[in-house]
Amino acid sequence: MTTILGCIADDFTGATDLAGLLARSGVRVSLRIGVPTTPPTDTAAFEVIALKSRTASVTEAVAETRAALRWLQAAGAKRFFWKYCSTFDSTAKGNIGPVAEALMTDLGTDQTIYCPAFPENGRAVFMGNLFVGQQPLSESPMKDHPLTPMQDSNLMRLLAPQVTRPVGLADRLTVATGAQALRGKLASLGAEGVAHVVVDAVADKDLQIIATACRDMPLITGGSAIAMPLPALYLADGTLSKDAAKRATPAIGTGTIVLSGSCSAMTNAQVAHYIATGAAAFQLDPLAIADHGIAAPLDWLAAQDLDRAPLIYATAHPARVKAAQNKIGVARTGEMIEQALAACAIAARDHGARRVIVAGGETSGAVTKALGVAQLDIGAEIAPGVPWTFCQSGGHQIALTLKSGNFGTESFFSDAQMRLGAE
Ligand code: ADP
């Protein structure tokens, strides 16, 4: 089907987050990992391309995003969404501004909006300043981020050095007045030559107004939340046909494997909780793998009843992680564990697992790569920002959920299984 909205996300978990919010509407959402190398086929009304461009060089990020745009245009899309983090993660050089400007040039449009607000997750924009909970961005933990430290909360000041054309603001006073007032403000800013408009939003109601006013702009940019109202608006105004494909749950075998490579506090709690439910579990030990390889976990896996959803985990508390890293090196330990879990994913699939639950952002990347997954259809949400997805791997239809470290509650691994069972 013709794509109505073509979305490009600057990282993988951001893409799943956006895809999950769009799929809340019940319509089919398809996610592609990287720019597809073949022309569009079997496209959905909402297509999301996941890039890895957040911390890439500006040149690389712009080139990759333009390639994604061309693919989405070939899929029929006329409206586009550029998704970045709700904490506006970028360096002074970019990549948010340069990418948006390149997309505007390619689309021949003179104006776009910037709205990273995500009220449900505590991200608000007021008078152009971004807040994380009750703190301004530059006083939040984001000020110390290792790759993209955010030391200013003012989005206009952050954006101005990244773009060549004027930056302006449509503030909450305008947004609160309604969609028509916002359209008027955008038009008057446009008449003054303002190409980049930061738009305030502090509550879901604001997002609804912004989406209503901006739904036909060639390019919208923001966090994932501003896209959430779009499917319903496109259905209501007939842009999206009522007969458009719905989100569907295919028949999936029952064999299940849980693979956990995140060492976050929440994942540690999730692993402990799952083991306490009586699940069979095997702990990967980096030192043992360095000495003896992965024969032991693979032998253990081969003996498991996959209908009882066994767990293989490297998840450990900080002291244990440090000890392994001191001995083997940080990068090598990480890589080794990721490869071990990726090998377990393949072995589990070949042993009959059709439901794969993965914890850890990097771990998810390694597992999807090993399983040869390039396209995912989005299913039901298990926790905010973490949907089930459906894809092909090794000639099998499988269900896959990819959870980044701190997402979900303690019972996530059981919740995921129940959620799929309920579909
Ligand atoms: P998160 O989403 O929590 O950041 P990731 O999968 O992105 O999780 O990152 C966790 C990293 O820690 C991975 O590179 C993984 O291989 C590594 N890791 C997992 N378990 C251990 C361990 N026991 N010791 C050292 N490193 C580990």
Side-chain angles (χ1 to χ4, degrees), residues 266-292:
M266 181 46 82
T267 308
N268 268 288
Q270 288 162 341
V271 164
H273 185 277
Y274 192 54
I275 292 172
T277 65
F282 186 100
Q283 182 168 26
L284 295 178
D285 173 7
L287 301 176
I289 295 178
D291 288 344
H292 309 293

Side-chain angles (χ1 to χ4, degrees), residues 263 268 283 285-287 314-327 333:
C263 295
N268 268 288
Q283 182 168 26
D285 173 7
L287 301 176
T315 305
H317 291 287
R320 195 168 164 155
V321 172
K322 266 252 132 38
Q325 289 174 334
N326 287 342
K327 223 155 173 179
T333 318

Side-chain angles (χ1 to χ4, degrees), residues 141-402:
M142 278 305 293
K143 72 182 189 304
D144 301 317
H145 191 280
L147 301 175
T148 49
M150 300 307 290
Q151 282 156 2
D152 195 346
S153 308
N154 185 292
L155 297 178
M156 284 91 74
R157 273 199 305 261
L158 286 167
L159 198 53
Q162 297 186 17
V163 291
T164 60
R165 300 181 61 193
V167 176
L169 172 68
D171 71 22
R172 175 93 206 298
L173 302 178
T174 302
V175 173
T177 314
Q180 209 176 343
L182 178 55
R183 272 198 209 106
K185 179 70 185 175
L186 291 172
S188 67
L189 287 169
E192 292 164 24
V194 175
H196 306 280
V197 186
V198 172
V199 185
D200 278 356
V202 299
D204 282 345
K205 206 170 105 238
D206 300 332
L207 298 179
Q208 186 71 36
I209 290 169
I210 299 166
T212 304
C214 301
R215 66 177 186 267
D216 286 324
M217 284 176 90
L219 179 67
I220 298 177
T221 88
S224 52
I226 183 70
M228 195 164 39
L230 292 173
L233 289 167
Y234 294 146
L235 275 169
D237 70 11
T239 303
L240 180 62
S241 149
K242 298 255 179 309
D243 310 325
K246 300 281 178 292
R247 174 168 78 64
T249 303
I252 301 277
T254 50
T256 303
I257 184 77
V258 185
L259 301 167
S260 181
S262 160
C263 295
S264 70
M266 181 46 82
T267 308
N268 268 288
Q270 288 162 341
V271 164
H273 185 277
Y274 192 54
I275 292 172
T277 65
F282 186 100
Q283 182 168 26
L284 295 178
D285 173 7
L287 301 176
I289 295 178
D291 288 344
H292 309 293
I294 56 166
L298 292 181
D299 287 346
W300 180 84
L301 179 61
Q304 296 308 304
D305 174 4
L306 294 177
D307 278 338
R308 301 194 54 209
L311 161 72
I312 299 180
Y313 66 106
T315 305
H317 291 287
R320 195 168 164 155
V321 172
K322 266 252 132 38
Q325 289 174 334
N326 287 342
K327 223 155 173 179
I328 311 175
V330 175
R332 197 166 151 240
T333 318
E335 172 95 347
M336 209 175 62
I337 296 288
E338 284 164 34
Q339 289 319 312
L341 286 166
C344 290
I346 297 174
R349 181 200 64 196
D350 294 346
H351 183 43
R354 299 291 176 261
R355 301 171 182 215
V356 182
I357 300 170
V358 187
E362 292 300 323
T363 309
S364 294
V367 168
T368 44
K369 197 163 174 200
L371 291 177
V373 173
Q375 190 266 333
L376 307 149
D377 264 12
I378 307 301
E381 236 178 343
I382 304 158
V386 199
W388 268 109
T389 69
F390 306 109
C391 54
Q392 294 289 325
S393 173
H396 302 287
Q397 173 85 62
I398 66 165
L400 186 61
T401 185
L402 308 160

Side-chain angles (χ1 to χ4, degrees), residues 89-177:
D89 302 16
S90 58
T91 61
K93 289 199 183 120
N95 292 331
I96 295 175
V99 164
E101 223 158 44
L103 291 172
M104 288 168 76
T105 304
D106 287 2
L107 292 169
T109 182
D110 286 332
Q111 196 178 61
T112 189
I113 61 157
Y114 296 79
C115 186
F118 194 162
E120 202 178 316
N121 280 352
R123 311 281 191 268
V125 184
F126 185 66
M127 297 301 158
N129 290 275
L130 181 56
F131 290 81
V132 176
Q134 297 183 340
Q135 292 175 312
L137 177 66
S138 60
E139 292 171 31
S140 77
M142 278 305 293
K143 72 182 189 304
D144 301 317
H145 191 280
L147 301 175
T148 49
M150 300 307 290
Q151 282 156 2
D152 195 346
S153 308
N154 185 292
L155 297 178
M156 284 91 74
R157 273 199 305 261
L158 286 167
L159 198 53
Q162 297 186 17
V163 291
T164 60
R165 300 181 61 193
V167 176
L169 172 68
D171 71 22
R172 175 93 206 298
L173 302 178
T174 302
V175 173
T177 314

Side-chain angles (χ1 to χ4, degrees), residues 7-19 31-34 48-56 64-65 82-86 89 145 361-362 404 407:
C7 307
I8 306 168
D10 68 353
D11 85 339
F12 183 67
T13 40
T16 4
D17 168 16
L18 170 65
L31 192 162
R32 322 256 167 184
I33 302 174
V48 182
I49 295 183
L51 301 180
K52 240 183 140 170
S53 58
R54 184 168 299 167
T55 52
E64 232 190 311
T65 314
W82 161 233
K83 151 80 173 77
Y84 38 79
C85 191
S86 62
D89 302 16
H145 191 280
E362 292 300 323
S404 70
F407 281 36

